[in-house]
Amino acid sequence: ISAAFSTWALLPPSAAASPAAAIEQAMAELRLPATIHGEFAGAAKTYQASASRQPLLILAAILAVYAVLGILYESFIHPLTILSGLPSAGIGALLTLKLAGMDLSVIAMIGIDIGTTGVKVVVVDPGRGQIAQATRANRLSSPHAGWAEADPAQWFANVESALLELASAIAGRAVAAIATTGMVPAIVAVDAAGAPVRAAILQNDARATGEVEALTGRLSSAGADPLAVTGSVPSQQSVAPKVLWLERHESDAWSRTRHVVGSYDWLLMALGAEPHVEANWALESGLFDLSGDVFAPAAEAVPGLADRLVPVRRSGEVVGRLRGDLAARVGLAAGIPLVVGGADHVLSAYTAGL
């Protein structure tokens, strides 16, 4: 039996060491049988491994500095004199940071979650986990029974507002990357400039009942087996039936559509990334097979859909750089790498060590 602990779920300003010690103490107090073994997994395991190597890295750094100083001064004594001042200098630096309310780390990463009811932006320290967060509410729309829509423009405005709120937490840190996550598989139809042509259609939208039946019939007539190829059958969550509905009922919007992407993929594009869809969105859309290639029978069942699909990118791939104009508005450096994230439920499972 494996027990998983996620550093990313910590409340600020806790360091990962304290919860880890608490978990280990709780495991010891349980007096579990020898046949049951608990261990950290995922991000927590990686952190624990890196933390255990820190004393050796510090010792190696001190020895390297001593060697360099010894060569420069041609002496074994002078380097020791200089190095003897490190403890007092370190204590002074830590006290200064404490008085200024600043952290020792200078690296940060930003994660953005596009949820059904809200947007969350978090600032993460690679060693400590989450250090700050800001949330904004999303307005949902249901113009007709069974419809579920949201405004991508509000998502973007919420992200910009949240980043401004977090400016003080980010100040003084080098942001290594920005990644996005969100609900799956929401649909954002965009024009050639990347602007949405209509409201986003969410994953729980149930308007395309007739199109689900039509698509199922077309695939069956073609002898295609979507379950074997894509891992799912056409349903209300599939992308193709909703896009078929769009083609049938909103032909003007469909004619202006250049790409069909997911919610968090669109947001990353709005920040400066190239057109793409994340691998899990592609898989759950029913338009791609398990290897990420287009499932032609489904894509060709909707007139013009195959030409509107974009490349599939894997989590961790860099797909662009933060736009300069947006960076200036929110106080970030232009050119920060934009990294493909993933579906919210998949990333939650990963950080839990599953």
Side-chain angles (χ1 to χ4, degrees):
I1 299 176
S2 175
F5 161 63
S6 170
T7 60
W8 304 102
L10 297 177
L11 292 174
S14 298
S18 298
I23 290 173
E24 290 172 344
Q25 181 180 350
M27 289 289 291
E29 292 175 351
L30 287 174
R31 301 183 182 278
L32 297 174
T35 54
I36 299 179
H37 173 66
E39 64 179 9
F40 293 100
K45 186 175 183 178
T46 302
Y47 169 81
Q48 193 178 47
S50 63
S52 65
R53 293 192 296 266
Q54 283 186 356
L56 292 176
L57 292 174
I58 294 173
L59 177 60
I62 293 174
L63 291 175
V65 171
Y66 175 81
V68 172
L69 291 175
I71 294 172
L72 290 175
Y73 287 98
E74 298 181 350
S75 170
F76 293 106
I77 304 300
H78 287 174
L80 293 176
T81 303
I82 296 173
L83 290 174
S84 65
L86 287 180
S88 57
I91 293 173
L94 291 174
L95 287 175
T96 301
L97 290 173
K98 183 70 174 179
L99 292 173
M102 300 174 63
D103 295 311
L104 180 60
S105 175
V106 294
I107 301 297
M109 295 181 288
I110 297 175
I112 305 172
D113 179 14
I114 303 297
T116 305
T117 59
V119 166
K120 177 186 286 186
V121 180
V122 298
V123 181
V124 175
D125 182 303
R128 296 178 55 207
Q130 179 179 305
I131 58 174
Q133 72 171 43
T135 59
R136 298 291 186 274
N138 292 334
R139 289 189 303 272
L140 301 179
S141 174
S142 184
H144 303 282
W147 289 29
E149 298 183 345
D151 182 7
Q154 187 191 42
W155 294 343
F156 190 82
N158 282 342
V159 169
E160 188 169 343
S161 172
L163 286 172
L164 282 170
E165 179 182 328
L166 295 172
S168 60
I170 301 172
R173 295 175 180 269
V175 178
I178 299 174
T180 57
T181 181
M183 49 197 167
V184 181
I187 301 171
V188 184
V190 302
D191 61 20
V197 301
R198 70 175 317 281
I201 302 176
L202 305 186
Q203 69 280 0
N204 56 332
D205 186 283
R207 75 185 68 188
T209 53
E211 286 72 21
V212 171
E213 294 179 3
L215 181 62
T216 300
R218 292 182 188 181
L219 294 177
S220 178
S221 299
D225 186 356
L227 181 60
V229 177
T230 70
S232 64
V233 297
S235 69
Q236 293 287 3
Q237 278 206 311
S238 303
V239 170
K242 294 173 183 176
V243 174
L244 181 58
W245 182 95
L246 187 63
E247 188 269 339
R248 286 176 170 180
H249 298 279
E250 297 183 5
S251 57
D252 178 64
W254 182 241
S255 67
R256 291 184 289 117
T257 298
R258 181 66 187 90
H259 301 304
V260 175
V261 298
S263 59
Y264 52 97
D265 303 313
W266 172 80
L267 177 62
L268 209 59
M269 290 165 54
L271 296 178
E274 63 191 33
H276 71 282
V277 290
E278 183 268 329
N280 196 79
W281 185 96
L283 180 61
E284 295 194 34
S285 73
L287 295 172
F288 297 83
D289 62 24
L290 298 177
S291 64
D293 296 323
V294 175
F295 179 45
E300 294 171 358
V302 182
L305 176 56
D307 296 331
R308 291 170 168 84
L309 297 179
V310 295
V312 177
R313 300 300 184 207
R314 304 287 176 182
S315 296
E317 289 189 45
V318 176
V319 288
R321 302 280 172 172
L322 181 63
R323 289 167 26 201
D325 60 324
L326 175 60
R329 292 202 300 271
V330 299
L332 294 175
I336 295 172
L338 301 175
V339 180
V340 177
D344 50 8
H345 60 287
V346 174
L347 298 188
S348 295
Y350 174 77
T351 56
L354 303 178

